[in-house]
Amino acid sequence: MTATLRYLLAAAALVAAAACGGDDAPDDVGATARATLTMPNGHAMGQVTLTQTATGVLISAEVLGLTPGAHGFHIHGVGACAPDFKAAGSHFAPESKPHGYLAEGGPHAGDLPNLHAGEDGAARAEFFTTAVTLDADADHSLFDEDGSAFIVHADPDDYRDVASAGARIACGVIERG
């Protein structure tokens, strides 16, 4: 995402917050965060950028080196990436909802749509979610006491079974922008 587009999105969020009186807007409207996705060997695979708006978070991902096709993409509940990425814990679920867009009572806050890589192994996606915030004082903040991380999986998420997406192939700790 270009700096100009990020500026325009942040400005639009500020205008929307002012128009609504700003009472329900997060304290951090316009704030950004980033995660550099790395493979288990430490090589960079891509970048995820988050921008807080008055009503949710815009997530922009650019990932290289994937096998062609769909890959599960989630926010995990711990801001740590050890060599096997298990340190990132399970999916971010502050409300204890079940995993999956197709699950009864789901999805939880860490659920995101699959990334789709082309034949060249590159994936670019933008998502908007109201389930998370960059506002440190909220229950659904990605900046709770142990932080959060993005995980890219080897296989597609079937949007029902938490284990359907397979191995963790990339991880990135979410850090303030």
Side-chain angles (χ1 to χ4, degrees), residues 53-156:
T53 74
T55 58
V57 174
L58 178 65
I59 300 171
S60 178
E62 293 185 34
V63 187
L64 303 173
L66 297 170
T67 56
H71 295 270
F73 184 56
H74 304 107
I75 301 169
H76 283 244
V78 179
C81 292
D84 63 1
F85 305 143
K86 289 192 173 85
S90 57
H91 294 180
F92 182 67
E95 295 179 347
S96 300
K97 290 183 177 182
H99 166 75
Y101 290 110
L102 302 176
E104 185 176 331
H108 56 60
D111 284 330
L112 295 172
N114 288 322
L115 291 174
H116 292 270
E119 290 299 318
D120 62 354
R124 174 180 274 175
E126 289 189 340
F127 310 110
F128 182 81
T129 179
T130 60
V132 302
T133 184
L134 304 183
D135 190 344
D137 297 327
D139 291 339
H140 59 300
S141 175
L142 296 176
F143 294 105
D144 59 11
E145 66 275 353
D146 58 0
S148 304
F150 284 101
I151 295 285
V152 178
H153 293 272
D155 301 317

Side-chain angles (χ1 to χ4, degrees), residues 2-30:
T2 67
T4 302
L5 181 56
R6 270 190 237 119
Y7 173 79
L8 290 173
L9 286 170
L14 290 172
V15 168
C20 296
D23 293 338
D24 295 331
D27 294 336
D28 295 338
V29 170

